[in-house]
Amino acid sequence: MSQTTYLDELNSVQRAAVEQTEGAVMIVAGPGSGKTRVLIYRIAHLINTVAKPYQILALTFTNKAAREMQQRIATIIPDPALTTQLWMGTFHAIFARILRIEAEKIGFPTNFSIYDAEDAKSMIETIIKELQLPTDKYKTNVVSNRISQAKNNLLTPQAYSQHLEVRGNDEAAGLGKIADIYRIYAQRCLQAAAMDFDDLLLKTYILLAKNADVLAKYQQKFKYLLIDEFQDTNPAQYAIVKLLAQQHRNICIVGDDAQSIYAFRGATIQNILNFERDYPEMKTFKLEQNYRSTQHIVQIANEVIAANSNQIAKQIWTSNETGNKTRLLITSSDIEEAKLVADLIFEERLRNHYPNDNFAILYRTNSQSRLFEEALRRRNIPYRVYGGMSFYQRKEVKDIMAYLRLIVNPNDEEALRRIINYPTRGIGKTTTDKLAATARTSSCSLWEVVANVKQTSLTTNTKEAVYSFYKMMRLFSDHAQQIDAYETARYVAKQTGLLQELHNDKTVEGISRYENVMELLASIKDFVDIRKELATADLDNSLGAYLQEVSLLTDADRSENDTPAVRLTTIHNAKGLEFVCVFVVGLEEKLFPSEMAARSEQEIEEERRLFYVAVTRAEKMLTLSFASARNRFGSIQDSVPSRFLGEIKQQYLDIRGGKPTTVHQFATTKNLVATDTGNSIRQNIAATQKLHSNNNNNTIITPPPNFQPSNLSKLTEGMTVIHQRFGRGAVEAIDGRGDKRVATIIFDVLGEKRIMLEFSKLMILE
């Protein structure tokens, strides 16, 4: 491809950014603006005009991105082989490459090992035990995260121990020994000739900052620097880049402050906002034309992000079609929300002939996926959990399910192996392997050997540990014969100590695992409650019945990996992706924005950027939804619409389940922070729900926040009622007597259902 040809493919701003080869350059690249193309063409243009490939350092955030960019660059430059001379890759890959060459300058051999996260945590765990620190306080994940944060902020063990603010925070949290753990950990890594991933940043900075000759070598070598996704860099990454760019000052950063969403990983938006402070001579190019989305979607994104005060001024626009209005689904419950989303996907596939992989369901937390998975399965719509795993494949969920499976079928060897020593009870892998070998030679099940463990040749202590496990499982089995699936599962989660262990882990990961287990228990409770209420259903609400049903939901053989599938993913994992149809769900206060993020306006602004990222993933169809009641932690809780909904003009919304004027009720939540989530919001949502209850279309009716079950002895034909899961309905008929009374109710959304009144919770409206 000739130089003229590839430059002609760019719009005027893109071309100007590519041709500005010298000096400091900031390319502010809005969503869908052709950022990757500009970065690729800029590198190719440097090679074609002013630079040798080995003089270019291009830093990306994924190895996949680096590989794809190299392949595309090869099609633009005269000699494709020159791409092999580029220094292009992730920060960690490039810095590891430099350290392999220069490691001896900082006391490491060139063949040093690189520890992954599990290696690092294992060593930290050993140190905690050696120091005899309380493991309930000094959790491995917590300590590991603090050490990681220190390294990303360029704090060595010595600097950490002398940093009054950091040490004060540790002392306040009862973690005053972290400095000692960090010091010993660093010594052990040096002794083992190993670096962890964070060391690849910290050690590179130390190498360059303390060795003038090495710094000069790489400053001279890298005449041109390019950094992608600059808004996601942390302090250590920026400090290294700044050192390398000091001599030539030919540094080009590409990013979008409005898409800075990784503060929890140590990224700081200040790197891009303050870039001009270090490079006052910089030239800025704003890529504001969006080639991805419709005008309606772009306008919604602009309106929402405008509420942030801490940003680079820009106005994204598009010449694409106007497009359809954004749908806003107002649903009565999280179950109804999932059902309606699945129904809409089903309808859109038929109406527009979209393949499954044109659809994405985006949510704030992983625990939200379960209901959408189930709803899609019931519609026989293939799906894939992207950037994560299926809800029922998550470790903490599988652990609980293994206990439940073993209760119902003691011969389930895989379930037994999974939980015989979890939580830890002194039955290691070696013991389990010996028990399994005995089962093989005796031609019996592993469970039978466990039941007769006292007849084996194991040590006395081991026999006691195994037999205690056996007695516990027998107790669980006995209870399961007398109580329903939910009570059994809750009893198991408590008695095994699993629930308490997860609850005690206050790291981000620990909280997520605890929420997933609570979501599982909530799903089992839903199963039991609905079985009790629906007179036409099999009233078997036992654990065996539940496992039979859920086994159909977790059948991994239902869809092939290469089958186009609906994507389910957190918004963080959706960054960089795009889909024809996007559903952003769970738009409720304390969920999105998250409760933990509502501590300051700064954190709210990051949540708003996250919403901006979600909205701008959509090409043609965007659907937003919230549920006014959500099952959280085993109980149904009222929800308040997200403040972000109040930042969207009514003219861009197609509201399903409420009148257009309803959206005004969201607006006053716009500027709320953690200290203001009370009466004003409650009044607004109450007014919103009143409007819904008067909706003439009766499509989706939201139950009031003051839902109170009525005395159903007074229920008669013709009355209107509210059900927390099924919404509003009219009583068509009542038959039976006493505790056998059954009501036939026509619900607005879900149609006819026969409800056993003995187990029902209905609110009589009229």
Side-chain angles (χ1 to χ4, degrees), residues 231-269:
Q231 76 279 352
D232 294 329
T233 55
N234 62 34
Q237 290 165 329
Y238 183 51
I240 297 168
V241 167
K242 185 178 176 182
L243 284 175
L244 291 172
Q246 275 180 354
Q247 182 174 343
H248 297 290
R249 298 181 72 83
N250 293 325
I251 178 172
C252 173
I253 65 168
V254 184
D256 181 8
D257 59 296
Q259 298 184 64
S260 178
I261 59 173
Y262 293 116
F264 68 97
R265 294 180 183 172
T268 172
I269 192 174

Side-chain angles (χ1 to χ4, degrees), residues 601-752:
E601 187 60 29
Q602 180 180 353
E603 290 172 312
I604 287 296
E605 290 206 355
E606 173 135 339
E607 290 288 294
R608 188 174 287 109
R609 293 194 294 269
L610 190 61
F611 182 53
Y612 177 81
V613 167
V615 167
T616 55
R617 298 311 93 197
E619 297 175 9
K620 293 185 177 180
M621 189 191 86
L622 175 65
T623 302
L624 312 175
S625 70
F626 77 85
S628 62
R630 184 171 295 274
N631 196 333
R632 300 192 74 188
F633 309 114
S635 65
I636 296 176
Q637 300 178 8
D638 296 331
S639 301
V640 174
S642 170
R643 68 194 71 192
F644 303 146
L645 294 175
E647 297 165 357
I648 302 172
K649 290 180 181 177
Q650 292 180 44
Q651 66 196 70
Y652 299 116
L653 296 174
D654 171 14
I655 300 175
R656 308 287 181 91
K659 294 183 177 180
T661 52
T662 300
V663 181
H664 278 311
Q665 305 299 330
F666 305 145
T668 56
T669 68
K670 178 177 177 181
N671 297 315
L672 292 172
V673 293
T675 57
D676 184 8
T677 56
N679 293 332
S680 61
I681 296 181
R682 177 61 63 191
Q683 291 164 0
N684 288 327
I685 188 60
T688 300
Q689 290 160 339
K690 182 177 180 181
L691 283 169
H692 297 173
S693 67
N694 293 327
N695 176 21
N696 293 327
N697 295 328
N698 293 334
T699 305
I700 303 170
I701 304 300
T702 306
N706 59 342
F707 179 92
Q708 291 293 333
S710 301
N711 180 354
L712 299 185
S713 65
K714 301 178 181 179
L715 188 69
T716 60
E717 294 177 9
M719 284 185 169
T720 301
V721 297
I722 287 286
H723 185 286
Q724 280 195 301
R725 291 186 182 82
F726 305 149
R728 195 172 78 167
V731 180
E732 175 121 324
I734 298 177
D735 42 64
R737 296 182 179 178
D739 60 6
K740 301 299 183 184
R741 287 205 312 158
V742 175
T744 300
I745 304 176
I746 309 298
F747 289 100
D748 295 341
V749 176
L750 301 181
E752 180 180 315

Side-chain angles (χ1 to χ4, degrees), residues 124-323:
I124 289 170
E125 184 177 7
T126 298
I127 295 169
I128 291 171
K129 290 178 180 177
E130 290 176 357
L131 294 178
Q132 299 182 340
L133 298 172
T135 54
D136 60 333
K137 179 68 70 173
Y138 288 87
K139 294 183 175 67
T140 304
N141 281 341
V142 172
V143 176
S144 176
N145 288 339
R146 294 216 178 199
I147 292 175
S148 175
Q149 290 171 9
K151 292 181 179 181
N152 286 328
N153 283 281
L154 300 177
L155 288 178
T156 63
Q158 181 179 358
Y160 190 99
S161 66
Q162 297 173 353
H163 198 295
L164 296 180
E165 182 179 354
V166 171
R167 293 300 303 276
N169 290 337
D170 285 351
E171 294 287 352
L175 299 169
K177 295 294 184 180
I178 286 185
D180 294 334
I181 299 171
Y182 184 13
R183 174 178 51 80
I184 297 171
Y185 172 69
Q187 291 172 348
R188 297 278 174 88
C189 285
L190 182 60
Q191 291 169 355
M195 297 184 199
D196 62 27
F197 271 71
D198 296 312
D199 280 327
L200 297 178
L201 302 181
L202 177 60
K203 300 299 185 186
T204 299
Y205 178 79
I206 292 172
L207 169 70
L208 299 176
K210 294 190 174 182
N211 294 274
D213 58 331
V214 176
L215 176 59
K217 171 183 174 181
Y218 288 99
Q219 285 178 338
Q220 293 167 14
K221 179 179 181 62
F222 299 132
K223 188 175 180 181
Y224 297 92
L225 278 72
L226 299 94
I227 303 95
D228 191 16
E229 302 287 3
F230 193 74
Q231 76 279 352
D232 294 329
T233 55
N234 62 34
Q237 290 165 329
Y238 183 51
I240 297 168
V241 167
K242 185 178 176 182
L243 284 175
L244 291 172
Q246 275 180 354
Q247 182 174 343
H248 297 290
R249 298 181 72 83
N250 293 325
I251 178 172
C252 173
I253 65 168
V254 184
D256 181 8
D257 59 296
Q259 298 184 64
S260 178
I261 59 173
Y262 293 116
F264 68 97
R265 294 180 183 172
T268 172
I269 192 174
Q270 297 307 317
N271 284 352
I272 192 168
L273 295 179
N274 297 335
F275 185 71
E276 187 174 8
R277 180 188 59 193
D278 292 324
Y279 300 92
E281 75 277 19
M282 78 170 190
K283 295 185 178 180
T284 301
F285 300 90
K286 296 181 181 179
L287 308 184
E288 297 174 302
Q289 182 175 2
N290 180 296
Y291 293 94
R292 175 188 301 157
S293 306
T294 64
Q295 292 177 27
H296 270 306
I297 293 171
V298 169
Q299 191 57 45
I300 284 175
N302 281 336
E303 289 183 352
V304 169
I305 203 62
N308 274 10
S309 58
N310 201 19
Q311 62 176 305
I312 297 171
K314 54 188 170 295
Q315 186 68 24
I316 306 303
W317 63 278
T318 183
S319 60
N320 291 342
E321 62 183 352
T322 302

Side-chain angles (χ1 to χ4, degrees), residues 480-481 483-485 527-532 534-549:
Q481 302 301 316
I483 55 181
D484 61 39
F527 167 84
V528 170
D529 290 348
I530 292 175
R531 286 293 181 104
K532 286 180 178 179
L534 297 180
T536 55
D538 177 1
L539 292 181
D540 183 0
N541 54 27
S542 67
L543 180 60
Y546 170 75
L547 290 176
Q548 182 175 332
E549 177 168 295

Side-chain angles (χ1 to χ4, degrees), residues 52-187:
K52 304 294 184 183
Y54 54 78
Q55 294 177 314
I56 300 171
L57 172 62
L59 297 169
T60 65
F61 266 79
T62 67
N63 290 309
K64 179 182 178 183
R67 288 193 300 270
E68 292 176 351
M69 287 170 62
Q70 280 184 304
Q71 292 169 359
R72 291 176 62 181
I73 292 167
T75 66
I76 304 173
I77 60 178
D79 182 1
L82 292 176
T83 60
T84 61
Q85 299 177 26
L86 283 168
W87 281 64
M88 175 181 284
T90 65
F91 280 89
H92 292 88
I94 293 297
F95 295 164
R97 183 176 172 185
I98 292 174
L99 287 168
R100 290 287 182 203
I101 299 170
E102 312 291 350
E104 292 179 355
K105 298 283 198 315
I106 54 172
F108 280 80
T110 56
N111 64 341
F112 62 85
S113 300
I114 298 177
Y115 280 170
D116 63 19
E118 292 306 313
D119 295 326
K121 289 178 182 178
S122 178
M123 180 178 286
I124 289 170
E125 184 177 7
T126 298
I127 295 169
I128 291 171
K129 290 178 180 177
E130 290 176 357
L131 294 178
Q132 299 182 340
L133 298 172
T135 54
D136 60 333
K137 179 68 70 173
Y138 288 87
K139 294 183 175 67
T140 304
N141 281 341
V142 172
V143 176
S144 176
N145 288 339
R146 294 216 178 199
I147 292 175
S148 175
Q149 290 171 9
K151 292 181 179 181
N152 286 328
N153 283 281
L154 300 177
L155 288 178
T156 63
Q158 181 179 358
Y160 190 99
S161 66
Q162 297 173 353
H163 198 295
L164 296 180
E165 182 179 354
V166 171
R167 293 300 303 276
N169 290 337
D170 285 351
E171 294 287 352
L175 299 169
K177 295 294 184 180
I178 286 185
D180 294 334
I181 299 171
Y182 184 13
R183 174 178 51 80
I184 297 171
Y185 172 69
Q187 291 172 348

Side-chain angles (χ1 to χ4, degrees), residues 456-475:
T456 67
S457 59
L458 297 174
T459 65
T460 301
N461 288 342
T462 303
K463 289 179 182 178
E464 286 300 322
V466 174
Y467 194 69
S468 293
F469 170 77
Y470 168 76
K471 289 192 296 183
M472 180 184 68
M473 294 305 304
R474 284 298 303 269
L475 179 64

